[in-house]
């Protein structure tokens, strides 16, 4: 579809997570739940049923005590671009156009009221970022007061996922418009997890803007779907061609190697 | 007309076909889907103008600046304040979940009087007037019977106006028995007292250090002011190095540049081993040692004699080469900084460890300067006129503290809450007739939960100021609920281990939701009602007036900026002042030597019955203090920590194999103090025969999202006192893990 | 009692016996309906699906019944387009089985989706790039075709046929049935293929993903092919089962053998193509994603190489070779074994293309996820089987399904 206001500049929002700095404290998870009205249940210990837009994985190097090492890896939605911008694994399969790739921001959206819960997108996503509302969301009496009015509460039977706090983008756009500015400032649109991370491990911004910190951190190769050129940067499952917009940074080789699948005798791709 | 079967069929089919041609089915289909998009039982948040209130978080001793986001009159979010010096925009997981605490179903909504047995949970609402009258009556009776010293108060902290108001009330009433929650900070305070000669709190300038050597301190697990330490840790990723000495691969150990796996309980010996290498190889800062310290020779003889790397390697299981290399790296760093206090420092630990670790800082001269350990003299923010004491008050105060703090047994200690259960249970000391409890949950947080429960049972009248129906509140006779922190105005004293004196102002983001009252106001009201000298010592109409007048000229700045920061303490190489007899830093003096030579506390239990060692660990995702984890936190807990209602203990594969335990399978954990059902998580992150259990689970109080999940470490562990400080030196307990 | 409804010249069991049978199956049906209502009222938390298993037993059941129902379109294709006229003796039953399979598939889909009330959004807000959209459109259209193909059969009921209007309608519908059969075959080639595409396009799921020809992944063609091969086998299975239960010969052997022979060659060519596809995927597609083929068949309790062997050899080459040989078809035991194996094979293929796709870990730090359906899922999956049995029972009793029945079983 042709953009009506073709004078507006295209953004390409992306996130870089420094796994050296990430402490696995979980503040991002809770900041996300708090911002996005994510419901909670009495028993959330089954991770395959737990609604977490952002989940923190625990990676281990598999070595014995005391050479053992662990690393935490926060996993929001990767906002995949796919092989050609917009051919995300999930967007391409949704039968009802309930999820879409926003060409203006590079963010994969989800329309909860259109989704009818076929869960094909969940089967398509290799990162398990897509979550189904198996239950009606219920808040303990009185606690529904903490719901964020900018984000709608999802009903049972639909799929939801991390949106890079898209409502914040819209608010930032409104603010910029009100100020008569054409562009959104880097600080004006930050996701909830980025803002909350007490370790400052998450960097969020526009890859189309060379001055943004995220661009400088990952040095995307725009000719190759934004493949990172920074020495310690990598994306999850790069080889599948999902072309994620979440980048990870780690100084530890074993961690970088955990980002993708490699055959036994294969040298790690992308290590410079 | 005759309606036969055929006709009926024709009518039905025709009718159906006809209806299908009308818009009705389409309209119905559409309406049904619209209904499914707006199910009345799926909440729609009310819109409302978005506003922000700047405040300071009071959920832990971290003291972060927060901004509370509201939509209309609803609190929807807590964020960090960008330019607040402590947290610089960051906020921790518990802080973010604050609104869940505000709207928690476990809030105590009005004053309650117990009607059933203790712990039975049967309450009767009571008016504030009647509730206060009950307390006043009790206090008057006790005082009249010369039992003023049998009134005690346990508060979360001893600093800040509310705690000070209560302490003042106790003093003029005639009781010295004011208790605060013990932690690693008490040990630091005593270390500074013994080595610097002054009552001071510890400040750790982690952001300006370039080498942090942490003896088990959870830099990124909530030690110190958590967000400040997180930021420092991140900064060190590019500017320095972190080495973590710890028996278990904690997050802090994993994220450190180096993890030194040490035998549990031998951290102090390792510190002295490092001191040996530093002194032996002449790597110490001779300027500091020569010009600013005394007692170096004695200290030198001690460490050179007893702590050679090979000896220490035998004690700690850390190879001698590693000890030498670590000592060299530490001493050669520009700003090396050693810290201690295990995990979040909830158990104070052995005093000698602190002395040994602080001696390392002294050896490299990194004291009272940028990037070092700073002794922040006790603040004189609260400068109330000396209260006039009547005879009963004087007599009561002379009775001495029930816990023995300040007595000849523990001359340097100021509060030993951990001693209280034993004193009460053995009946050796005085009794407590009335206990006030505020911002603490000793029944949950104190070691040996059974002993604590028995001790509380000895106390005839317990008044709780709890905002939440926690374990201790359930044992109370009367609850006078405080506003929770998002509803109240209060000063927040300097954050734990923060390298400057900073007072924050907690401001109400929202009016009280329930019929609660500020504890400060309640204390003043009680004092006024008690009359005489007591009332006279409280010349304020209410708490806000008291707060404003107390803060005096700081008030305006506090009110404007949300915080007031004292002058920089760290003067470049001025080293501040040492208030010791020699006016110098003391590496050695009789008290210090006694502490250094005291034997480290051994875990309770014998090794044959209990072949394993139970160690606690702290994680940011579980609140282990007086506040129970809100639902979001419980939700964030890993599947390797909690499964259903069962907590998983970390076990080495070798131990698991010996016990024939598979990953995730149930097991029985028995210690000399208790027994629990757990599951095992097999990991190489712990040494063989060690069993690691997270703190903060096993609540019996709070909501369904928390209560009944996992096991409370404090119910499985006992208290072992430090011979010098009298504080709790426990770091673990012997245990037996077996197949369930 | 109900003799007025029973076709002339055939013998049926007494009504009470029939009623008892109907009741027994009806009880199973009621159990399924109860589970279905639970899923609709309480939601999909009644299942053991989770966020790793968004697709599970139901989607497998859907794919499997559609493959098995493939006998309808392929037999129709052979009869009406290719001109194998003998197949008119089995086409009715093939259509009935197809009708049951496709209506079951639609019912299961209606239970499977989280918001059944909005299920029609798939048509209204259709995303033409989605394989599922293609499936939905073709499936619904073909179900319409099957209904149209089934209606004349109903109209042939003795009583209904007496009504001149219905009699004429039936006659006219028969006249134009070739057009519907052709349409049906065309639609089926597409939706069977699209169902194959469902897993084949998932480039985030290395186990399911296949290279493409134009816009279609190889699985698109393999699914159509396998449905054409195994669907008729299932029709034969059910026909033989019906014969066994009714104790009558209903279709002549030459008809069965013709269908079996065609199926045999379809199966043989399919399984060769499938083997080549598997080989290419194992040696090229998967390694390019950094995965050795052993990754997909190890480190878990269920999915081993055995499943591949069973699918390709035991349920592929073995029945194919039996069916293409004259002796294999003539021998009753080998024929029955072969058609059963072929039907099992296609179900197994659909299972791995749904369940194993999701079970295989893709992120290196994740592990296998196995899944066990809840009773509600099992009950709702058995529901269509009970419904199918009932529909067959009633249709067989009251409709002239088998044109050869009368001459094969003359009533004395």
């Amino acid at each position: 579809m042709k953009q009506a206001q073709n004078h507006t500049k295209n953004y390409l929002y992306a996130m870089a997570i420094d796994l050296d700095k990430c402490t696995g404290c979980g503040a991002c998870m809770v900041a996300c739940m708090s911002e996005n009205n994510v419901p909670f249940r009495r028993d959330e210990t089954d991770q395959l049923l737990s609604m977490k837009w952002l989940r923190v994985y625990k990676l281990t190097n598999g070595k014995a005590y005391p050479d053992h090492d662990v690393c935490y890896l926060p996993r929001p939605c990767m906002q995949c671009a796919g092989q050609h911008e917009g051919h995300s694994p999930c967007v391409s399969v949704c039968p009802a156009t309930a999820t879409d790739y926003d060409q203006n921001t590079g963010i994969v959206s989800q329309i909860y009221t259109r989704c009818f819960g076929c869960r094909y997108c969940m089967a398509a996503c290799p990162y398990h970022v897509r979550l189904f509302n198996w239950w009606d969301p219920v808040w303990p009496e009185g606690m529904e007061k903490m719901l964020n009015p900018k984000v709608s509460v999802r009903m049972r039977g639909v799929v939801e996922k991390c949106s890079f706090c898209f409502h914040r983008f819209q608010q930032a756009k409104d603010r910029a418009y009100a100020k008569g500015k054409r562009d959104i400032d880097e600080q004006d649109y930050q996701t909830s997890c980025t803002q909350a991370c007490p370790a400052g491990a998450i960097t969020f911004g526009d890859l189309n803007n060379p001055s943004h910190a995220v661009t400088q951190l990952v040095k995307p190769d725009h000719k190759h779907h934004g493949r990172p050129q920074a020495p310690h940067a990598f994306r999850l499952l790069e080889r599948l061609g999902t072309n994620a917009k979440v980048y990870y940074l780690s100084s530890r080789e074993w961690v970088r190697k955990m980002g993708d699948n490699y055959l036994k005798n294969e040298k790690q791709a992308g290590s410079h | 007309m005759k309606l036969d079967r055929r006709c009926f069929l024709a009518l039905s089919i025709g009718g159906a076909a006809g209806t299908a041609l009308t818009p009705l089915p389409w309209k119905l289909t559409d309406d049904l889907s619209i209904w499914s998009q707006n199910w009345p039982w799926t909440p729609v948040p009310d819109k409302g103008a978005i506003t922000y209130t700047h405040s300071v978080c009071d959920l832990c001793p971290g003291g972060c600046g927060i901004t509370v986001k509201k939509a209309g009159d609803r609190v929807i979010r807590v964020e960090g304040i960008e330019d607040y010096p402590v947290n610089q925009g960051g906020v921790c997981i518990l802080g973010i979940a604050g609104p869940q605490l505000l709207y928690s179903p476990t809030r105590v909504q009005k004053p309650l009087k117990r009607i059933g047995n203790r712990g039975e949970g049967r309450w009767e609402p009571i008016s504030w007037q009647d509730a206060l009258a009950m307390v006043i009556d009790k206090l008057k009776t006790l005082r009249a019977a010369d039992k003023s010293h049998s009134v005690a108060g346990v508060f979360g902290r001893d600093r800040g106006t509310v705690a000070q108001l209560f302490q003042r009330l106790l003093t003029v009433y005639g009781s010295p028995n004011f208790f605060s929650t013990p932690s690693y900070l008490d040990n630091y305070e005593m270390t500074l007292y013994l080595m610097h000669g002054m009552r001071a709190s510890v400040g750790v300038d982690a952001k300006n250090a370039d080498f942090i050597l942490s003896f088990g301190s959870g830099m990124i697990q909530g030690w110190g002011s958590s967000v400040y330490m997180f930021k420092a840790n991140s900064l060190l990723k590019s500017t320095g190095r972190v080495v973590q000495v710890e028996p278990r691969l904690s997050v802090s150990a994993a994220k450190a540049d180096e993890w030194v796996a040490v035998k549990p309980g031998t951290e102090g010996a390792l510190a002295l081993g490092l001191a040996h290498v530093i002194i032996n190889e002449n790597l110490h800062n001779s300027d500091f040692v020569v010009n600013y310290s005394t007692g170096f020779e004695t200290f030198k003889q001690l460490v050179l004699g007893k702590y050679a790397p090979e000896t220490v390697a035998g004690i700690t299981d850390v190879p001698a080469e590693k000890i030498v290399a670590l000592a060299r790296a530490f001493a050669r760093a520009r700003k090396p900084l050693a810290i201690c206090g295990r995990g979040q420092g909830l158990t104070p630990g052995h005093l000698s460890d602190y002395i040994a670790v602080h001696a390392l800082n002294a050896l490299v001269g990194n004291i009272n300067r940028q990037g070092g350990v700073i002794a922040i003299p006790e603040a004189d923010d609260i400068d109330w006129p000396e209260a006039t004491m009547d005879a009963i008050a004087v007599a009561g105060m002379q009775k001495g503290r029930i816990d023995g703090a300040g007595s000849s047994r523990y001359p340097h200690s100021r509060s030993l809450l951990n001693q209280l259960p034993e004193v009460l249970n053995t009946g050796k000391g005085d009794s407590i007739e009335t206990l006030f409890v505020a911002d603490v949950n000793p029944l949950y947080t104190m070691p040996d939960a059974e002993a604590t429960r028995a001790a509380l049972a000895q106390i005839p009248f317990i008044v709780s100021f709890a905002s939440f129906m926690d374990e201790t509140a359930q044992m109370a006779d009367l609850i006078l609920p405080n506003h929770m922190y998002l509803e109240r105005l209060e000063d927040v004293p300097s954050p734990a281990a923060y390298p400057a004196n900073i007072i924050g102002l907690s401001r109400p983001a929202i009016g009280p939701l329930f019929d609660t009252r500020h504890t400060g106001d309640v204390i003043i009201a009680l004092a006024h009602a008690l009359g005489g000298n007591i009332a006279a010592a409280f010349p304020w109409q209410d708490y806000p007036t008291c707060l404003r007048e107390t803060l005096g000229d700081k008030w305006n700045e506090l009110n404007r900026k949300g915080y007031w920061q004292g002058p920089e303490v760290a003067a470049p190489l001025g080293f501040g002042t040492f208030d010791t007899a020699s006016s110098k830093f003391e590496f050695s003096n009789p008290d210090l030597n006694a502490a250094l030579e005291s034997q480290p506390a051994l875990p309770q239990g014998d090794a044959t019955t209990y072949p394993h060692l139970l160690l606690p660990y702290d994680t940011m995702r579980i609140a282990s203090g007086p506040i129970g984890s809100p639902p979001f936190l419980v939700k964030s807990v890993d599947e390797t920590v909690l499964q259903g209602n069962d907590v998983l203990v970390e076990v080495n594969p070798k131990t698991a194999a010996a016990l024939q335990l598979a990953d995730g399978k149930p097991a029985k954990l028995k210690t000399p103090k208790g027994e629990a059902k757990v599951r095992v998580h097999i990991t190489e992150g712990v040494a063989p025969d060690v069993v690691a259990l997270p703190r903060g689970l096993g609540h019996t109080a709070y909501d369904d999202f928390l209560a009944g999940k996992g096991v409370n470490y404090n119910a499985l562990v006992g208290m072992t006192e430090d011979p010098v400080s009298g504080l709790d030196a426990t770091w673990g307990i012997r245990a037996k893990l077996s197949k369930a | 009692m109900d003799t007025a409804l029973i076709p002339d010249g055939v013998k049926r069991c007494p009504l009470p016996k029939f009623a008892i049978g109907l009741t027994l199956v009806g009880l199973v049906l009621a159990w399924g309906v109860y589970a279905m209502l639970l899923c609709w009222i309480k939601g999909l938390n009644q299942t053991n699906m989770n966020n790793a298993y968004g697709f599970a037993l139901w989607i497998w059941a859907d794919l499997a019944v559609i493959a098995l129902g493939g006998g309808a379109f392929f037999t129709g294709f052979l009869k009406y387009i290719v001109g194998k006229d003998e197949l008119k003796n089995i086409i009715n039953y093939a259509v009935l089985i197809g009708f049951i399979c496709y209506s079951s598939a639609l019912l299961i889909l209606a239970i499977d989706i989280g918001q059944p009330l909005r299920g029609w959004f798939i048509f209204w807000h259709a995303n033409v790039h989605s394989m599922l959209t293609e499936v939905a459109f073709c499936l619904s259209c073909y179900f319409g075709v099957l209904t149209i193909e089934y209606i004349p059969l109903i109209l042939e009921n003795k009583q209904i046929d007496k009504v001149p209007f219905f009699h004429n309608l039936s006659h006219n519908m028969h006249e134009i049935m070739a057009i519907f059969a052709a349409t049906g075959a065309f639609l089926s080639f597409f939706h069977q293929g699209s169902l194959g595409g469902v897993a084949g396009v998932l480039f985030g799921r290395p186990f399911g993903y296949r290279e493409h020809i134009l816009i279609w992944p190889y699985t698109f063609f393999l699914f159509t092919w396998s449905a054409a091969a195994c669907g008729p086998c299932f029709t034969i299975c059910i026909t033989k089962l019906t014969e066994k239960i009714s104790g009558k010969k209903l279709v002549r052997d030459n008809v069965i053998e013709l269908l079996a022979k065609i199926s045999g060659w379809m199966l043989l060519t399919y399984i060769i193509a499938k083997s080549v596809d598997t080989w290419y995927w194992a040696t090229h597609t998967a390694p390019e994603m950094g995965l050795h083929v052993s990754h997909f068949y190890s480190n878990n309790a269920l999915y081993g190489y055995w499943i591949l062997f069973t699918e390709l050899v035991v349920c592929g080459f073995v029945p194919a070779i039996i069916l293409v040989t004259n002796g294999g078809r003539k021998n009753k035991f080998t024929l029955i074994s072969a058609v059963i194996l072929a039907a099992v094979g296609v179900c197994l293929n659909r299972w791995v293309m749904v369940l194993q796709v999701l079970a295989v870990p893709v992120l290196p730090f994740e592990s296998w996820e196995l899944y066990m359906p809840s009773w509600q899922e099992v009950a709702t999956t058995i529901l269509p089987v009970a419904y199918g049995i009932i529909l067959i029972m009633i249709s067989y009793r009251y409709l002239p399904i088998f044109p050869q029945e009368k001459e094969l079983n003359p009533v004395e």
Side-chain angles (χ1 to χ4, degrees), chain A residues 57 93-94 97 119-120 123 156, chain C residues 54 115 125 130 198 205 366:
Chain A
Y57 282 86
V93 301
C94 175
T97 335
R119 305 183 298 285
Y120 192 10
R156 181 185 92 196
Chain C
Q115 287 282 352
H125 299 290
S130 171
V198 165
R205 297 286 189 170
E366 287 199 314

Side-chain angles (χ1 to χ4, degrees), chain A residues 125-248:
Chain A
C125 173
Y127 306 103
H128 296 307
V129 309
R130 290 186 159 267
L131 310 161
F132 187 72
N133 282 276
W134 302 101
W135 288 270
D136 280 307
V138 178
W139 279 263
E141 206 191 328
M143 224 185 263
E144 74 286 344
K145 286 211 177 72
M146 58 173 286
L147 293 175
N148 182 357
K150 302 287 178 198
V151 178
S152 55
V153 175
R154 285 75 60 187
M155 65 293 288
R156 181 185 92 196
V158 300
V159 171
E160 61 183 69
K161 66 157 195 83
C162 155
S163 63
F164 266 6
C165 292
F166 192 72
H167 58 285
R168 289 188 172 209
F169 170 74
Q170 289 165 321
Q171 287 168 269
K173 209 167 66 173
D174 292 347
R175 280 194 298 268
Y177 182 77
K179 284 186 206 152
K181 287 198 296 188
R182 269 173 62 177
D183 285 351
I184 293 170
D185 285 345
E186 188 175 10
Q187 283 315 307
D188 221 25
Y189 170 37
Q190 290 290 318
T191 66
S192 175
C193 52
T194 309
Q195 183 194 30
C197 177
I202 310 179
T203 311
F204 182 79
D206 175 15
L207 287 186
N208 281 346
N209 191 328
S211 73
H212 279 202
V214 67
T215 316
Q216 291 167 2
L217 268 177
V218 304
K219 302 188 173 56
D221 178 358
H222 287 295
K223 286 194 193 78
H224 293 93
H225 302 290
R227 192 190 293 158
Q229 289 169 307
H232 287 165
F234 66 99
R235 299 190 285 189
L236 290 181
L237 303 175
E238 178 79 51
R239 306 178 79 167
L240 296 188
T242 51
N243 291 319
K245 279 197 291 296
V246 175
Y247 298 77
Y248 293 91

Side-chain angles (χ1 to χ4, degrees), chain A residues 48 57 93-97 112-120 123 126 128 132 134 155-156 239 258 261 263, chain C residues 40-41 44-45 49 51 54-55 112 114-115 118 121 125 127 130 133 198 203-205 290 292 362 364 366 369:
Chain A
L48 299 179
Y57 282 86
V93 301
C94 175
T97 335
Y112 313 121
T113 47
R114 183 177 293 175
C115 171
F116 64 85
C118 76
R119 305 183 298 285
Y120 192 10
H128 296 307
F132 187 72
W134 302 101
M155 65 293 288
R156 181 185 92 196
R239 306 178 79 167
M258 285 289 233
N261 294 300
L263 299 173
Chain C
W40 276 340
I41 295 163
L44 296 184
N45 51 59
M49 285 191 277
N51 293 328
F55 281 0
D112 180 73
Q115 287 282 352
R118 298 185 212 157
F121 284 11
H125 299 290
N127 168 18
S130 171
T133 308
V198 165
F203 62 96
R205 297 286 189 170
H292 188 260
V362 184
E366 287 199 314
E369 293 296 349

Side-chain angles (χ1 to χ4, degrees), chain B residues 139 142 147-155 166 170 173 175-179 401-402 417 420 424 431-438 459 461-463 465:
Chain B
L139 290 178
L142 285 172
K147 283 176 140 183
S148 67
H149 62 285
S150 73
V151 174
V154 183
F155 274 59
F166 194 81
L170 277 186
Y173 175 81
S175 170
N177 290 313
F178 178 89
F179 297 88
R401 289 176 62 93
I402 186 169
L417 183 62
L420 202 53
L424 292 178
S431 63
I432 291 182
E433 297 296 325
T434 293
L435 180 72
F436 291 87
V437 184
I459 303 170
F461 191 55
I462 301 175
V463 181
F465 293 109

Side-chain angles (χ1 to χ4, degrees), chain C residues 313-343:
Chain C
V313 180
V314 181
C315 297
F317 283 107
V318 170
I321 287 163
I322 292 173
L323 293 178
V324 296
T325 50
N326 200 28
R329 290 194 300 271
K330 291 274 189 250
N331 181 311
K332 201 177 160 194
F333 173 75
T334 51
L335 173 75
I336 300 287
S337 307
V339 291
I340 290 176
L341 282 177

Side-chain angles (χ1 to χ4, degrees), chain C residues 99-233:
Chain C
F99 179 83
I100 290 167
C101 288
Y102 276 78
S103 51
S104 301
L106 289 172
L107 176 70
I108 295 175
L109 277 180
I111 307 171
D112 180 73
I113 56 177
Q115 287 282 352
L117 297 175
R118 298 185 212 157
W120 55 278
F121 284 11
I122 201 170
F123 305 113
W124 196 256
H125 299 290
N127 168 18
V128 293
H129 302 293
S130 171
M131 283 291 165
L132 219 53
T133 308
E134 206 170 314
V135 170
F137 273 95
C138 295
L139 201 71
S140 319
C141 291
Y142 184 55
F143 178 65
V145 169
L146 277 172
T147 312
I148 290 168
E149 290 187 62
Y150 183 47
I151 284 173
L153 212 57
I154 302 173
L155 299 181
E156 277 176 32
N157 175 277
K158 210 162 76 186
Q159 294 302 324
I160 299 177
D161 196 49
K162 283 180 186 160
V163 182
F165 170 74
F166 289 137
H167 177 83
N168 293 332
L169 180 64
S170 164
H171 180 75
N172 291 327
M173 283 181 87
H174 273 298
E175 294 285 291
I176 53 161
M177 205 43 77
I179 297 168
F180 283 110
T183 315
F186 175 77
L187 287 171
S188 288
F189 277 117
F190 270 95
H191 76 245
Q192 294 283 1
S194 316
L195 282 171
V198 165
V201 298
L202 301 181
F203 62 96
R205 297 286 189 170
F207 187 76
Y209 179 71
R210 291 297 185 277
E211 266 84 351
H212 291 45
I213 298 171
L214 299 176
I215 58 163
W216 297 293
Y218 297 158
T219 48
F220 184 94
F221 306 99
L222 291 171
F223 265 51
T224 307
W225 208 331
S226 58
C230 303
C233 288

Side-chain angles (χ1 to χ4, degrees), chain A residues 19-27 29-31 33-35 37-45 47 50-52 55-56 58 63-72 113-114 136-137 139-151 153-156 168 192 195-200 252, chain B residues 36-37 39 41-43 45-47 50 69 71 74-77 79 89-93 96-97 99-100 103-105 220 227 230-231 233-234 237 247 249 251 254-257 259 261-262 620-621 631-633 635-640 642-644 650 652 683-688 704-705 709:
Chain A
L19 300 182
D20 291 339
K21 289 180 181 170
C22 170
T23 67
C25 73
M29 277 194 271
V30 169
M33 295 173 200
S34 166
E35 178 77 12
N37 298 338
V38 175
F40 45 90
R41 297 174 4 92
R42 270 175 203 165
D43 186 353
E44 291 269 3
T45 57
Q47 297 303 315
S50 181
M51 180 71 74
K52 290 190 187 99
R55 177 177 169 190
V56 179
K58 190 177 180 180
K63 289 190 181 167
Y65 184 93
D67 297 316
H68 199 59
D69 197 5
V70 302
C71 180
Y72 287 91
T113 47
R114 183 177 293 175
D136 280 307
W139 279 263
E141 206 191 328
M143 224 185 263
E144 74 286 344
K145 286 211 177 72
M146 58 173 286
L147 293 175
N148 182 357
K150 302 287 178 198
V151 178
V153 175
R154 285 75 60 187
M155 65 293 288
R156 181 185 92 196
R168 289 188 172 209
S192 175
Q195 183 194 30
C197 177
R252 296 178 191 198
Chain B
S36 80
Q37 291 164 342
W39 277 338
W41 59 87
T42 304
D46 293 333
K47 303 270 185 274
I50 301 288
K69 188 174 176 182
R74 302 184 295 117
V75 170
I76 59 167
R77 180 80 198 253
E79 292 168 1
V91 60
C92 82
I93 181 167
I96 302 167
Q100 287 197 322
Y103 295 116
S104 170
I220 49 175
V227 177
F230 273 56
K231 298 237 177 239
N233 186 65
S234 288
K237 292 288 158 215
L249 181 72
V251 199
K255 296 318 253 183
D257 296 280
W259 169 38
V262 67
M620 291 299 291
R621 297 196 205 168
F632 276 159
L633 262 68
K635 178 168 172 148
S636 79
V637 172
D638 263 341
E639 71 279 16
T640 54
L642 197 62
Q643 270 173 25
E650 293 185 346
N652 186 281
T683 167
E684 291 281 6
V686 290
D704 295 342
F705 297 92
K709 291 187 178 175

